[in-house]
């Protein structure tokens, strides 16, 4: 904290506001006392608002910095793995060897879902969007785990976190299997987290597990790069839902619904749709012109970010992983990759994008890797949600284990002032 002060003078009155400092990043002006002075702050989209105090993830948008509990994403992507990052996000420190083994085993022991979930999935139409099934299935989890819904009990919070991290991949794979009419695959306890996911996605009861280790490593990296990202739209949704005391399964389901939008987690699916619509390198200029045209709603999906104004460090890591996977699969001449690389090059040299600081974000290359792995486009946001669940539950647990108030923003009211009802015959 700091002893800095801000002064606000309005209607001839000067109001002193405390200024709070974190360990790094911008100071914040504490405006909590303003309501007592008869004022609200106004910040649609929360462009200038710190909604909470958190110690989990730090982003410096100007310098392309992303830290998880202080560790740079580049180092975690190179040296860590997804489950180790889960432990770090939840507990604040990297696990020692014994903790790492125990956490991996604890997650493995919770990967199965209640068998009644099979009947739930049978109720979905086979061509339902996988994200629609994911929203329903995760929300339904609270119907099965009444033994762990006391959010004031640290043990309940811990077992709920484990269940969510462990079961989300199983549910994600069930969304895919139901979609294609294949039998659900049970988790295999001998496989790693990412291997197990690919096994449940692409394995069948007719053959032994057979997962390509290069693809498993790429899948693990995709989960790791999507794990958490400060107070983004879906994480803020989880915090707001959690502030009412809702159970963790319901809160994560609210995060999944917020993630679905094309401006957020739905962008990876939209990137592939856009690249397919562009169709060839020759058409790129036409689409870049559309993206710049104010009268055209078309945007370059996978470009731009509310916080990153130089580059998204995750996009850089994802681009390297993309090259590795496509080379491993002999797809380095993938036409979509050629369009993506040329599009990035053109956009980064175009004044419109430079002036607005629009760079590729995490979603720009992730879809190309997922397509190469064999994941269909409409499953991309389901993959994003599978990785992000640990971030959502870490923020939920951080809030619930501390002091918090129910989130209840106010508004700038521009509707009618009081008026009298008119009988219908007088209207
Ligand atoms: C994620 O918040 C997070 O951390 C999110 C995320 C996470 O890990 O949780 O990082 C994941 O959601 C990444 C973002 C994925 N979305 C997309 O790729 C969709 C395309 N991008 C945009 O829609 C947009 O860039 C946003 C939503 C990401 C950010 O929008 P902002 O911050 O509200 O910025 P804006 O819409 O006000 O744009 C500023 C200007 C505008 O032009 P002007 O009105 O100033 O002339 O830039 C333009 C916009 O029109 N612009 C684009 C553009 N993005 C912004 N123009 C063309 N193509 C784009 N992609």
């Amino acid at each position: 904290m700091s002893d800095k002060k801000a002064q606000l003078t309005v209607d001839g009155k000067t109001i002193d506001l405390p200024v709070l400092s974190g360990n790094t990043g911008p100071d914040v002006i504490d405006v909590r006392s303003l309501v007592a002075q008869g004022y609200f702050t106004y910040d649609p989209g929360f462009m200038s608002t710190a909604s909470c105090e958190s110690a989990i993830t730090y982003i410096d948008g100007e310098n392309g910095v992303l830290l998880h509990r202080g560790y740079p994403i580049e180092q975690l992507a190179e040296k860590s793995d997804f489950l180790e990052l889960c432990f770090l996000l939840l507990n604040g420190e990297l696990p020692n060897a014994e903790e790492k083994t125990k956490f991996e085993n604890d997650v493995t022991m919770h990967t199965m879902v209640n068998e009644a979930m099979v009947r739930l999935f049978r109720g979905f139409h086979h061509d339902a969007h996988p994200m629609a099934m994911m929203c329903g299935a995760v929300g339904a989890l609270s119907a099965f785990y009444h033994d762990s819904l006391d959010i004031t009990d640290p043990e309940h919070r811990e077992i709920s976190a484990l269940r969510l991290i462990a079961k989300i991949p199983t549910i994600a794979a069930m969304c895919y299997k139901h979609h294609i009419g294949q039998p659900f695959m049970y988790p295999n306890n001998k496989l790693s987290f990412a291997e197990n996911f690919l096994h449940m996605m692409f394995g069948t009861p007719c053959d032994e597990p057979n997962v390509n280790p290069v693809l498993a490593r790429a899948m693990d990296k995709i989960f790791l790069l999507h794990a958490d990202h400060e107070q983004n739209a879906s994480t803020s949704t989880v915090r707001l839902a959690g502030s009412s005391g809702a159970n963790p399964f319901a809160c994560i389901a609210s995060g999944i619904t917020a993630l679905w939008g094309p401006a957020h987690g739905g962008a990876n699916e939209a990137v592939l749709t856009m690249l397919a619509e562009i169709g060839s390198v020759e058409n790129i200029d036409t689409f870049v012109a559309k993206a710049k045209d104010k009268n055209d709603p078309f945007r370059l999906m996978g470009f731009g970010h509310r916080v990153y104004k130089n580059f998204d460090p995750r996009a850089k890591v994802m681009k390297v992983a993309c090259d590795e996977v496509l080379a491993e699969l002999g797809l380095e001449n993938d036409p979509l990759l050629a369009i993506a690389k040329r599009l990035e090059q053109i956009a980064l040299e175009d004044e419109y994008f430079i002036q607005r600081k629009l760079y590729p974000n995490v979603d720009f290359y992730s879809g190309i890797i997922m397509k190469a792995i064999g994941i269909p486009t409409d499953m991309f946001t389901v993959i994003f949600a599978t990785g992000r669940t640990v971030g959502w539950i870490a923020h939920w647990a951080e809030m619930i284990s501390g002091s918090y108030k129910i989130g209840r923003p106010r508004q700038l009211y521009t509707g009618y002032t009081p008026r009298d009802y008119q009988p219908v015959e007088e209207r």
Side-chain angles (χ1 to χ4, degrees):
M1 299 313 170
S2 77
D3 56 5
K4 294 180 194 171
K5 289 272 184 246
Q7 283 199 325
L8 179 63
T9 301
V10 56
D11 297 336
K13 185 166 60 173
T14 298
I15 302 167
D16 286 331
L17 297 170
V19 174
L20 310 178
S21 299
N23 293 341
T24 183
D27 287 347
V28 299
I29 299 173
D30 184 344
V31 295
R32 284 175 286 186
S33 65
L34 278 184
V35 65
Q37 307 273 348
Y39 295 100
F40 300 149
T41 61
Y42 183 64
D43 186 19
F46 309 123
M47 308 275 282
S48 302
T49 295
S51 61
C52 63
E53 179 180 327
S54 179
I56 297 173
T57 289
Y58 174 70
I59 303 173
D60 175 345
E62 286 307 319
N63 298 301
V65 172
L66 170 56
L67 307 178
H68 290 313
R69 300 287 191 180
Y71 295 100
I73 189 65
E74 295 86 352
Q75 292 184 31
L76 292 168
E78 183 191 343
K79 299 171 182 173
S80 185
D81 60 63
F82 177 67
L83 280 190
E84 185 173 77
L85 176 57
C86 289
F87 185 98
L88 174 66
L89 290 171
L90 291 171
N91 300 293
E93 299 296 339
L94 287 167
N96 60 33
E98 185 186 336
E99 290 166 330
K100 183 178 171 78
T101 303
K102 181 183 182 306
F103 185 72
E104 288 170 348
N105 187 55
D106 287 348
V107 169
T108 300
M109 290 303 123
H110 286 92
T111 46
M112 276 210 297
V113 293
N114 187 299
E115 199 64 12
M117 291 286 278
V118 174
R119 287 199 300 277
L120 181 93
F121 269 90
R122 295 295 179 234
F124 293 124
H125 204 274
H126 71 90
D127 63 2
H129 193 290
M131 275 300 282
M133 292 190 257
M134 186 91 165
C135 294
V138 174
L141 282 176
S142 49
F144 297 106
Y145 298 111
H146 302 290
D147 65 335
S148 65
L149 296 183
D150 176 358
I151 62 171
T152 63
D153 181 336
E155 288 184 6
H156 283 203
R157 294 200 296 268
E158 185 180 353
I159 184 63
S160 296
L162 266 182
R163 280 170 166 158
L164 280 158
I165 292 166
K167 297 179 193 305
I168 284 284
T170 309
I171 290 171
M174 291 175 82
C175 293
Y176 176 60
K177 287 301 196 188
H178 182 70
H179 203 43
I180 63 172
Q182 278 194 0
F184 297 131
M185 293 296 288
Y186 286 108
N188 181 318
N189 291 351
K190 299 185 184 70
L191 301 177
S192 71
F193 187 90
E195 285 172 339
N196 195 26
F197 175 67
L198 292 177
H199 167 62
M200 293 188 289
M201 280 283 290
F202 303 116
T204 71
C206 317
D207 48 29
E208 292 303 313
N210 177 23
V211 178
N212 178 327
V214 173
L215 301 190
R217 260 198 318 278
M219 195 74 248
D220 192 86
K221 193 165 286 185
I222 288 171
F223 288 140
L224 182 144
L225 291 170
H226 286 84
D228 189 48
H229 211 239
E230 198 217 60
Q231 306 308 328
N232 58 83
S234 52
T235 300
S236 299
T237 301
V238 170
R239 280 182 175 262
L240 196 55
S243 73
S244 75
N247 74 67
F249 305 101
C251 295
I252 299 306
S254 74
I256 294 173
T257 54
L259 186 76
W260 197 355
H264 190 15
N268 49 21
E269 179 176 356
V271 167
L272 264 287
T273 305
M274 174 189 73
L275 292 176
E277 190 185 355
I278 291 173
S280 75
V281 173
E282 291 70 36
N283 296 333
I284 288 177
D285 289 339
T286 304
F287 281 85
V288 168
K290 280 167 61 70
K292 293 156 61 172
D293 179 359
K294 282 284 153 254
N295 299 317
D296 190 325
F298 175 80
R299 284 195 164 184
L300 283 192
M301 301 317 279
F303 265 79
H305 198 277
R306 171 62 57 77
V307 179
Y308 290 122
K309 298 307 176 188
N310 276 311
F311 60 90
D312 181 336
R314 302 167 297 176
K316 289 193 163 214
V317 176
M318 199 73 85
K319 185 174 179 180
V320 170
C322 190
D323 287 335
E324 286 169 1
V325 168
L326 293 181
E328 165 70 19
L329 298 174
L331 298 173
E332 52 269 70
N333 298 319
D334 179 290
L336 291 182
L337 179 66
I339 296 170
K341 288 192 169 181
R342 183 73 184 115
L343 180 60
E344 178 184 18
Q345 193 180 14
I346 290 172
L348 295 184
E349 293 163 1
D350 185 297
E351 190 47 40
Y352 174 93
F353 295 91
I354 295 168
Q355 183 197 353
R356 290 167 178 78
K357 300 186 174 183
L358 303 176
Y359 297 87
N361 57 47
V362 68
D363 296 305
F364 189 65
Y365 282 102
S366 60
I368 297 170
I369 303 181
M370 289 192 274
K371 180 177 178 294
I373 291 174
I375 296 168
T377 309
D378 60 8
M379 279 287 294
F380 287 2
T381 311
V382 169
I383 304 297
F384 194 144
T386 302
R388 184 53 55 89
T389 291
V390 63
W392 291 330
I393 204 74
H395 281 275
W396 173 82
E398 180 182 58
M399 177 181 73
I400 297 295
S401 59
S403 68
Y404 65 97
K405 296 176 76 67
I406 187 167
R408 205 282 185 213
R410 301 302 303 274
Q411 62 182 8
L412 174 66
Y413 178 68
T414 56
Y416 285 106
T417 51
R419 56 178 174 159
D420 295 329
Y421 180 83
Q422 292 165 307
V424 66
E425 54 276 6
E426 294 176 14
R427 293 177 208 155

